[in-house]
Amino acid sequence: MSEPRTASLRPAPPEVDRRAASQAAVAARRARAAVKAAIAAHEVSPLTVLDKATAEPEGVEGRLRVTEFLLSVPAIGTTKMKDALERLAISPAKRLGGLGRHQRLRLREFLIERESRSGRQKNQLVVLAGPTAVGKGTVSTYIRENYPDVLLSVSATTRAPRPGEVDGVNYYFVDDAEFDRMIADGELLEWATVHNASRYGTPRTPIERALEAGRSVLLEIDLQGARSVRAAMPEARLIFLLPPTWEELVRRLIGRGTESAAEQQRRLETAKIELAAQDEFDHRVVNTDVAEAAREVVDLMKIRTAPSRP
Ligand SMILES: Nc1nc2c(ncn2[C@@H]2O[C@H](COP(=O)(O)OP(=O)(O)O)[C@@H](O)[C@H]2O)c(=O)[nH]1
Ligand SMILES: Nc1ncnc2c1ncn2[C@@H]1O[C@H](COP(=O)(O)OP(=O)(O)O)[C@@H](O)[C@H]1O
């Protein structure tokens, strides 16, 4: 029996360190096995696992070897796995968290193609959320301009239009009385007061019509809204947009120059809380390059597998 570790400053005896290390290794192995079992049982999409690995290269998902990851995907056996790795130019020794950017994108495309081939494509309601200034508006606008098949939902808001904003395109600009009426008449799928200021809400009818007509719909809304949509429509797919780094998020917020210094500070505090909620989402996309992030979001609309919930 070894002694319990009481004085934290005293170096632990080597056997304690060794035992702790081997216990940690066993726990990590079990956690990886649980992820693989969840993929194999269709409880989690392989893409969700890949996204987590990207966001946290040293986490459970990031430590998965690409070989064991692919083998856990239903209907991929050793031969298909080897062929895929060769085609994707990924070494079998790689872990998911250690993939290069291009390798990761190739693996993503491969998985998406498999999933969309595996059954009838379903029209998707996709929610894009993320912290202030991460680029939600920029990525959504890129999608509206480059992917006409996707309907970008237009929200109603009580905030005043900014120069250049067009009623019915950027938002439906309404007054408080009209917003109250929309709530009372059940016209909004969800609504929230954002940044302690104005109210924003998602009109229900255009979304239902678009989904019925076979189009995918993208909602660019805040975290509260994302949670409400999930409660109202559990089949919705939730995507969290991440900045490449915290410093870059701060740079984007300051660079945009639309908020006062005090307001910027307040939004950064909210951003920390919002970033902490990223695990609630089905997928995470890092917005390094706008076109690439937009493509990843649109690609995620093609996947049929039901998103897994934490
Ligand atoms: N819940 C909810 N949030 C929305 C809706 N429309 C926009 N938002 C969010 O409201 C916030 C403020 O949007 P906006 O006034 O355009 O400012 P900016 O995005 O900070 O430039 C953003 O976080 C949007 O995602 C909506 O219909 N519902
Ligand atoms: N991938 C990117 N690289 C560099 N700058 C970006 C990128 N995406 C967005 N931006 C810039 O970051 C700022 C915030 O983007 P915006 O779309 O307004 O964020 P949000 O809608 O999430 O608040 C804008 O100035 C925008 O031009």
Side-chain angles (χ1 to χ4, degrees):
M1 290 284 278
S2 58
E3 295 212 351
R5 235 173 135 165
T6 42
S8 58
L9 291 177
R10 204 172 53 205
E15 71 273 17
V16 174
D17 270 358
R18 265 201 302 277
R19 182 168 340 144
S22 91
Q23 278 171 354
V26 169
R29 220 172 17 245
R30 285 211 183 113
R32 287 202 299 275
V35 173
K36 286 189 279 177
I39 298 174
H42 294 278
E43 286 167 13
V44 64
S45 154
L47 269 161
T48 304
V49 172
L50 183 59
D51 287 343
K52 280 197 178 165
T54 309
E56 289 165 35
E58 290 305 319
V60 178
E61 290 82 4
R63 300 292 299 160
L64 273 180
R65 280 197 197 285
V66 67
T67 46
E68 55 178 349
F69 167 70
L70 282 176
L71 285 174
S72 66
V73 176
I76 295 190
T78 316
T79 312
K80 273 195 196 148
M81 178 269 288
K82 284 186 179 155
D83 284 353
L85 288 182
E86 208 173 294
R87 217 155 16 98
L88 301 171
I90 296 175
S91 151
K94 283 268 183 184
R95 292 184 192 272
L96 287 188
L99 294 177
R101 192 160 134 255
H102 294 293
Q103 289 180 324
R104 187 179 71 81
L105 288 173
R106 287 199 297 270
L107 180 56
R108 254 183 101 79
E109 291 288 317
F110 168 78
L111 293 169
I112 286 168
E113 209 182 298
R114 272 188 69 79
E115 293 204 20
S116 51
R117 254 193 291 123
S118 70
R120 197 174 64 83
Q121 205 164 299
K122 200 164 170 287
N123 306 313
Q124 299 274 1
L125 178 61
V126 174
V127 174
L128 184 67
T132 186
V134 67
K136 299 181 295 295
T138 308
V139 170
S140 303
T141 302
Y142 188 93
I143 291 174
R144 183 172 54 214
E145 288 168 356
N146 293 277
Y147 298 93
D149 288 351
V150 177
L151 176 80
L152 192 59
S153 160
V154 179
S155 298
T157 182
T158 58
R159 91 150 156 73
R162 293 176 186 151
E165 284 184 334
V166 179
D167 188 38
V169 174
N170 305 91
Y171 284 103
Y172 294 107
F173 295 99
V174 300
D175 59 18
D176 273 313
E178 174 64 2
F179 202 92
D180 286 341
R181 188 202 60 76
M182 292 174 99
I183 297 172
D185 289 349
E187 287 182 13
L188 300 178
L189 176 64
E190 62 75 39
W191 67 273
T193 302
V194 182
H195 301 312
N196 282 326
S198 310
R199 288 184 292 172
Y200 295 80
T202 308
R204 184 192 296 277
T205 313
I207 294 177
E208 288 172 353
R209 288 214 181 113
L211 290 174
E212 273 165 25
R215 292 178 79 186
S216 288
V217 180
L218 183 67
L219 308 185
E220 187 253 287
I221 58 180
D222 83 324
L223 179 62
Q224 312 165 71
R227 287 176 175 150
S228 306
V229 169
R230 183 166 68 182
M233 300 177 93
E235 69 279 16
R237 192 176 289 275
L238 269 50
I239 304 178
F240 195 86
L241 199 61
L242 281 165
T245 60
W246 173 258
E247 290 71 29
E248 174 62 15
L249 184 72
V250 176
R251 246 194 312 275
R252 286 183 192 174
L253 178 64
I254 294 171
R256 184 171 65 182
T258 45
E259 284 81 21
S260 67
E263 177 61 21
Q264 285 170 358
Q265 215 40 51
R266 213 161 57 80
R267 287 191 179 214
L268 287 175
E269 289 308 315
T270 310
K272 281 184 197 151
I273 298 166
E274 290 177 332
L275 282 167
Q278 57 180 276
D279 280 347
E280 294 174 30
F281 284 68
D282 302 305
H283 301 281
R284 291 183 257 193
V285 168
V286 180
N287 177 22
T288 304
D289 175 78
V290 175
E292 213 168 79
R295 167 105 184 263
E296 288 192 34
V297 169
V298 173
D299 278 350
L300 285 169
M301 296 180 146
K302 298 182 196 151
I303 304 164
R304 199 183 58 101
T305 320
S308 67
R309 302 285 181 220

